[in-house]
Amino acid sequence: MRRLVGVPLLALMTCLALVSDAPAVVRKAVGWRAEWSAAFDNRSFGLTEDAIVYSHTLVASERALAVAARIGRILILDPVTGRVLSTVPAEPRLGDVRELWVADEALVVLREQPGRTGAEFEGVLTGYDLATGQRLWGWRLAREAVVTRRAVAALTASDVQLLDARTGATRAVMPVLQGCTAAAAAADELVAVLELCANDRVHLAAVDPETGRPYWTRDLTYRRPQQWPPAEGADPRTDMGVATAADGTVLVHLSDTPYLYASDGRRLPAGIHGEATRSPIITGEGVVINTSIPDGGGYVQGIDPATVAIRWTRGVAGSTSFIATGDLFVTKSGNYPGLEPWPLNAYLLAIDAATGEASELPLPATGGATFLEGGAGGLVFVSTPTRDDDSTGVKNGTRITAYRLVRANRAPANPPGVAPAADWPDACGLLTDRDLSLLAPGYLAYPHARTLAGSPLPKPAVCDWIPPTDKGDVVSVSVTWTAPSTSEARRLAAEEVRYGLDTTIKGRDGPDIVYYQLGHPAGDQYGALVSVGPVVTKLVASTPETVRRLAPRLRDNLRTSAGPRHGHRS
């Protein structure tokens, strides 16, 4: 009997060994799931319905999410649920809200003093309790500020003052010498102060925000000294800047020369170039991200601060800056260069901090209406304007949605919210030779392939028709989105009309066609947004007459089984 007991035990141990040696299942990113969504209009901020609010300021942290219009009260939300925790009363006598920061227990607000702009700007700093919205301290003058978990660095023309974020009490003062200009940035437990002086002296200090004592200092070489005193109206800080990541990594740019330092002051030999240094740097899961993103695209690198090794490199297109949330770096993906953005919907690119694996997945909102505001605790916060939104009754406001990346053992055939690739029509099949003969005979079609969520579409999503003579009008049609349903396509088309089109032009060709005008360096262009069934398309030409003649044909072709079958020459 004792022998029989040993057999299953041995089998169990063997099974466990086999399981432990088996490769781990890699969970794929499959989509963005909305955790909560809430709309706030003028009434939410204590304003009248007809008050004009052009934009809202939002700042995210794991502790709170703060939302403000330039005027009116400030809302403090729970980032996990979207519930309003408290409100900060309006203080119009202090000026319009310019910037917000969230410390551990306090909301810090910088307001603009009327009439103080440009290089002469000096605002008013105030602190408020996150739990109650009550004022804790105020009336600190500063031209700018940065905030750590427990401290505020207030910059004036003559010094950098370190303040307690909860009480506003002065902890230390760092004088700025005559002939020098200071800039600052803050990490969780560090303030980086960069001084640029007229005598070629450039000094960087990473200081303890509690005491002002430096953790480390560096003298930098700068071969293009600033004019001192600066010319009237000029800001001497234009060609200098400093940024920090949460772990204390510091990035400095002096004109086009970058310097990257670890939290202990070691110089990191990262390959940074030019305008890349003007993007913020961030950390996630112990990895520093360095961006090199000039206009049109570039790359991002994950750097291990302990070994200074580059863990991974990823190319990106059209992105500007990244946020860190949980184990992800996230950015709003750029559109294809050209006359019109493509695709219609906004995409978020998520990069795994440890491996560099990238996932580009759509949101259920158009690119023109989507603004990536920040991230915290694994959530990504996106805002959408809601001005004149008759469908919800919310006017002159903003909608905030918190998304979380969803992973699964097996990726679906196509991302949620997108029709299967096989259902996307051929853009070159949406106008026939007969349609184009209204302009001139002999138009030639040039198809353009597009990639959606990392996979190429089997049919061209964009098609240009070139006229037979130089005097003809070039015509372009793009299938900007194919939704899973007609109702979803209509909602997206309406959102694009409201937020994504430059100037709409009244037309009489039915509700499926909206005419518009868009500016372009080569001259004005004219377009029509045509939505039929689940398909949303755009037609663009250089004359409004061409668009007016072809848009009804495009609509009719879409109505007949997603357009005619390859009625074009190439």
Side-chain angles (χ1 to χ4, degrees):
M1 201 61 175
R2 295 170 74 178
R3 267 188 247 168
L4 293 175
V5 173
V7 172
L9 179 60
L10 177 61
L12 176 62
M13 294 177 64
T14 304
C15 180
L16 290 174
L18 290 173
V19 170
S20 64
D21 290 339
V25 176
V26 178
R27 293 170 61 83
K28 300 291 185 181
V30 298
W32 295 101
R33 180 181 66 226
E35 297 292 305
W36 58 263
S37 185
F40 305 95
D41 62 5
N42 280 358
R43 293 165 296 182
S44 307
F45 300 98
L47 306 173
T48 61
E49 283 195 21
D50 58 351
I52 298 176
V53 178
Y54 293 104
S55 62
H56 295 79
T57 301
L58 184 152
V59 62
S61 76
E62 294 188 17
R63 180 71 189 274
L65 189 69
V67 187
R70 290 183 66 84
I71 54 178
R73 58 185 174 229
I74 302 170
L75 306 179
I76 300 175
L77 281 59
D78 182 334
V80 177
T81 66
R83 181 173 60 90
V84 176
L85 300 175
S86 60
T87 59
V88 173
E91 300 202 56
R93 60 196 176 91
L94 297 182
D96 294 351
V97 173
R98 184 182 178 103
E99 287 189 81
L100 304 170
W101 300 269
V102 175
D104 272 349
E105 298 179 349
L107 175 72
V108 180
V109 182
L110 177 65
R111 291 182 172 88
E112 298 179 1
Q113 288 185 319
R116 303 293 295 272
T117 59
E120 298 181 353
F121 170 79
E122 191 171 44
V124 179
L125 275 176
T126 47
Y128 302 88
D129 182 66
L130 285 177
T132 65
Q134 304 244 335
R135 168 103 77 86
L136 298 173
W137 53 270
W139 294 101
R140 291 281 188 170
L141 296 179
R143 60 177 172 85
E144 60 183 85
V146 294
V147 176
T148 73
R149 288 187 182 276
R150 292 183 294 274
V152 179
L155 278 71
T156 71
S158 59
D159 57 33
V160 178
Q161 302 173 20
L162 297 177
L163 314 175
D164 185 289
R166 178 72 187 176
T167 66
T170 302
R171 291 174 169 174
V173 176
M174 303 172 62
V176 176
L177 299 178
Q178 178 67 29
C180 299
T181 302
D188 287 346
E189 302 294 343
L190 172 149
V191 171
V193 179
L194 179 68
E195 287 187 277
L196 174 63
C197 302
N199 60 0
D200 295 350
R201 176 179 176 270
V202 181
H203 185 69
L204 173 65
V207 304
D208 181 346
E210 305 280 338
T211 64
R213 289 194 290 268
Y215 294 126
W216 51 267
T217 63
R218 295 289 182 272
D219 289 317
L220 285 66
T221 301
Y222 186 46
R223 303 190 183 282
R224 295 173 62 183
Q226 64 173 312
Q227 175 185 348
W228 198 269
E232 184 177 355
D235 188 346
R237 296 165 294 163
T238 301
D239 288 335
M240 64 179 284
V242 59
T244 57
D247 71 341
T249 306
V250 178
L251 173 65
V252 171
H253 80 258
L254 299 173
S255 188
D256 291 334
T257 305
Y259 302 82
L260 185 64
Y261 297 93
S263 58
D264 59 4
R266 288 177 299 124
R267 177 84 181 267
L268 299 180
I272 317 172
H273 303 283
E275 295 181 10
T277 58
R278 303 176 195 275
S279 295
I281 57 170
I282 51 180
T283 52
E285 297 296 300
V287 179
V288 178
I289 190 166
N290 157 48
T291 63
S292 177
I293 309 174
D295 293 340
Y299 64 88
V300 294
Q301 292 178 324
I303 304 169
D304 188 335
T307 64
V308 198
I310 296 176
R311 287 191 178 184
W312 47 262
T313 300
R314 285 281 174 183
V316 293
S319 303
T320 52
S321 62
F322 281 70
I323 63 168
T325 176
D327 60 351
L328 297 174
F329 299 121
V330 182
T331 187
K332 181 182 173 185
S333 294
N335 291 300
Y336 282 85
L339 295 178
E340 286 281 76
W342 194 96
L344 181 69
N345 277 32
Y347 269 68
L348 295 185
L349 174 68
I351 300 178
D352 185 280
T355 66
E357 181 181 4
S359 302
E360 193 173 25
L361 296 162
L363 295 179
T366 62
T370 302
F371 301 92
L372 179 61
E373 300 284 4
L379 292 173
V380 173
F381 301 104
V382 170
S383 71
T384 302
T386 57
R387 57 184 181 272
D388 301 328
D389 190 346
D390 296 330
S391 62
T392 63
V394 177
K395 298 185 177 183
N396 292 328
T398 189
R399 174 171 290 278
I400 301 169
T401 305
Y403 290 98
R404 189 181 299 276
L405 187 66
V406 178
R407 293 182 172 94
N409 293 340
R410 181 178 299 176
N414 57 284
V418 188
D423 293 349
W424 284 57
D426 180 351
C428 287
L430 295 180
L431 289 177
T432 67
D433 290 338
R434 183 177 179 181
D435 298 329
L436 293 160
S437 67
L438 295 174
L439 308 180
Y443 265 79
L444 296 177
Y446 289 87
H448 301 279
R450 288 290 184 261
T451 299
L452 196 68
S455 300
L457 289 169
K459 302 168 210 170
V462 178
C463 193
D464 295 330
W465 280 272
I466 308 301
T469 66
D470 292 338
K471 295 182 180 180
D473 197 350
V474 176
V475 177
S476 180
V477 170
S478 60
V479 180
T480 57
W481 200 254
T482 301
S485 67
T486 297
S487 60
E488 175 67 2
R490 286 175 179 168
R491 183 188 69 80
L492 292 170
E495 191 173 275
E496 178 70 356
V497 170
R498 188 175 296 115
Y499 304 115
L501 302 184
D502 290 354
T503 304
T504 58
I505 304 171
K506 291 184 179 180
R508 299 181 180 178
D509 292 313
D512 297 335
I513 302 175
V514 177
Y515 295 102
Y516 61 97
Q517 181 178 348
L518 63 156
H520 190 262
D524 287 340
Q525 298 285 319
Y526 298 87
L529 185 143
V530 183
S531 178
V532 175
V535 181
V536 183
T537 64
K538 286 185 177 180
L539 182 150
V540 174
S542 59
T543 62
E545 294 80 14
T546 294
V547 174
R548 294 277 187 182
R549 298 175 79 177
L550 293 180
R553 297 294 187 105
L554 173 61
R555 176 199 58 198
D556 295 343
N557 293 339
L558 278 168
R559 286 174 175 173
T560 57
S561 301
R565 301 303 179 193
H566 306 291
H568 66 278
R569 296 196 301 254
S570 59

